[in-house]
Amino acid sequence: MIEIGSRARKLPAPPSVVWESLVEPHRRGARPWLSLLSDEIEPRVLEAEKPNRVVWSSLWPSRPNDQVHFELTAVGGETSLKFTLLTPDEAPDQSKTGHLRRRLNHLLFADLRFSYGQ
């Protein structure tokens, strides 16, 4: 697998809460955060080990074999969330790579973060 991008940041919720958000983004009672663009599809959970690991399928039909791996680590009452975007295929060009990274950054470290009220 080739790494396309990776980033880690803190989220203001414990790992069990962040894990549930990643595994069931549309669960009843949760604030909506997974707002997809027209070129994106709902990811499927390929693997999940509560509360430290989740693997999503690709969000992009044009890149169906890509995977998003999440590592969750407790930091006080918060979570350090690291995503790694991997592909078994050729890496995309620089423009597409930037778009994919930017979208994951926005979904996780803006939309998901704000769903926790901060």
Side-chain angles (χ1 to χ4, degrees), residues 39 44 55 59 79 86 96:
D39 69 335
R44 289 178 293 109
V55 178
L59 284 79
T79 300
L86 301 168
K96 183 71 166 183

Side-chain angles (χ1 to χ4, degrees), residues 91-102:
D93 65 33
Q94 198 169 20
S95 175
K96 183 71 166 183
T97 295
H99 171 71
L100 302 177
R101 290 177 185 161
R102 206 168 18 261

Side-chain angles (χ1 to χ4, degrees), residues 58-79:
S58 178
L59 284 79
W60 301 281
S62 65
R63 300 201 49 87
N65 299 319
D66 293 356
Q67 294 181 358
V68 185
H69 290 238
F70 299 101
E71 296 174 31
L72 297 82
T73 307
V75 180
E78 298 182 324
T79 300

Side-chain angles (χ1 to χ4, degrees), residues 9-102:
R9 303 216 41 201
K10 278 198 245 174
L11 294 177
S16 61
V17 172
V18 176
W19 186 89
E20 286 182 13
S21 296
L22 294 171
V23 172
E24 292 186 69
H26 304 292
R27 77 182 184 285
R28 189 179 181 127
R31 292 181 182 162
W33 66 272
L34 189 61
S35 300
L36 302 173
L37 299 178
S38 61
D39 69 335
E40 297 171 340
I41 58 172
E42 189 84 16
R44 289 178 293 109
V45 175
L46 302 176
E47 298 175 33
E49 297 172 19
K50 191 171 186 175
N52 301 318
R53 188 169 183 273
V54 176
V55 178
W56 276 0
S57 64
S58 178
L59 284 79
W60 301 281
S62 65
R63 300 201 49 87
N65 299 319
D66 293 356
Q67 294 181 358
V68 185
H69 290 238
F70 299 101
E71 296 174 31
L72 297 82
T73 307
V75 180
E78 298 182 324
T79 300
S80 173
L81 176 66
K82 177 181 180 182
F83 80 79
T84 305
L85 179 58
L86 301 168
T87 188
D89 302 328
E90 273 189 45
D93 65 33
Q94 198 169 20
S95 175
K96 183 71 166 183
T97 295
H99 171 71
L100 302 177
R101 290 177 185 161
R102 206 168 18 261

